[in-house]
């Protein structure tokens, strides 16, 4: 990937709504050249989409936790991500090395909601869990 494309990706990571004109000024290209490059980055699967940064406390989900999960039966098919895909409180699912198989990032309203969610995760995916609650997020 060219340096200009890397710069465009970095700029769009910070502000996915940045105009092609502003992107062009930042990297020294015309608006149309930036538009073509961004379209190619999208077509190549480098840019997968654009999203909003959310104030989770404003939408009723101020509690963030990381949940490490390990299957009870290591010989069973590894379909845990599919089993949990539709659980709306799970923001991300990462396959990890170490003591656990997956690390989930979850957001809920209250500790009681977290407790209920952990029960659903354990039942739905047949896993044990280890949970770390986030106290604050200086940056993300």
């Amino acid at each position: 990937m060219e340096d200009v494309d890397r710069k465009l990706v970095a700029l769009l990571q910070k502000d996915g709504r940045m105009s092609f004109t502003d992107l062009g000024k930042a990297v020294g290209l015309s608006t149309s050249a930036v538009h073509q490059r961004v379209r190619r980055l999208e077509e190549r699967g480098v840019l997968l989409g654009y999203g909003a940064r959310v104030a989770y406390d404003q939408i009723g989900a101020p509690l963030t936790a990381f949940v490490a999960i390990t299957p009870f039966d290591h010989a069973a098919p590894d379909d845990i991500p599919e089993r949990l895909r539709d659980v709306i409180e799970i923001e991300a699912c990462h396959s990890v090395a170490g003591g656990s198989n997956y690390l989930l990032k979850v957001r809920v309203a209250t500790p009681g909601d977290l407790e209920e969610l952990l029960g659903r995760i354990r039942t739905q995916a047949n896993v044990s869990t280890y949970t770390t609650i986030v106290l604050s997020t200086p940056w993300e």
Side-chain angles (χ1 to χ4, degrees):
M1 180 183 306
E2 295 179 30
D3 285 342
V4 171
D5 290 339
R6 288 184 203 285
K7 289 176 185 173
L8 289 171
V9 170
L11 289 165
L12 288 169
Q13 280 180 294
K14 289 182 183 175
D15 181 1
R17 295 180 60 161
M18 197 170 186
S19 72
F20 293 134
T21 301
D22 289 341
L23 287 167
K25 287 177 186 174
V27 298
L29 292 175
S30 69
T31 301
S32 62
V34 167
H35 184 260
Q36 289 174 352
R37 283 180 178 263
V38 169
R39 189 183 72 239
R40 274 186 291 174
L41 289 167
E42 290 169 346
E43 289 170 353
R44 288 180 27 215
V46 174
L47 295 173
L48 301 174
Y50 303 87
R53 292 180 46 210
V54 176
Y56 289 96
D57 58 326
Q58 298 291 315
I59 63 167
L63 194 154
T64 302
F66 290 97
V67 181
I69 59 176
T70 306
F72 287 122
D73 182 2
H74 292 280
D78 187 4
D79 61 350
I80 291 170
E82 288 307 313
R83 289 188 203 183
L84 298 174
R85 182 172 300 282
D86 296 327
V87 179
I88 62 171
E89 297 92 343
I90 300 175
E91 183 176 303
C93 175
H94 303 279
S95 176
V96 296
S100 300
N101 292 50
Y102 292 94
L103 185 64
L104 309 175
K105 182 177 183 181
V106 303
R107 294 190 192 268
V108 294
T110 67
D113 292 334
L114 179 58
E115 184 175 26
E116 185 272 330
L117 173 62
L118 293 173
R120 280 191 288 135
I121 289 170
R122 289 179 191 124
T123 301
Q124 226 168 297
N126 196 31
V127 295
S128 65
T129 62
Y130 178 85
T131 304
T132 301
I133 295 175
V134 174
L135 298 177
S136 69
T137 304
W139 60 269
E140 194 165 11

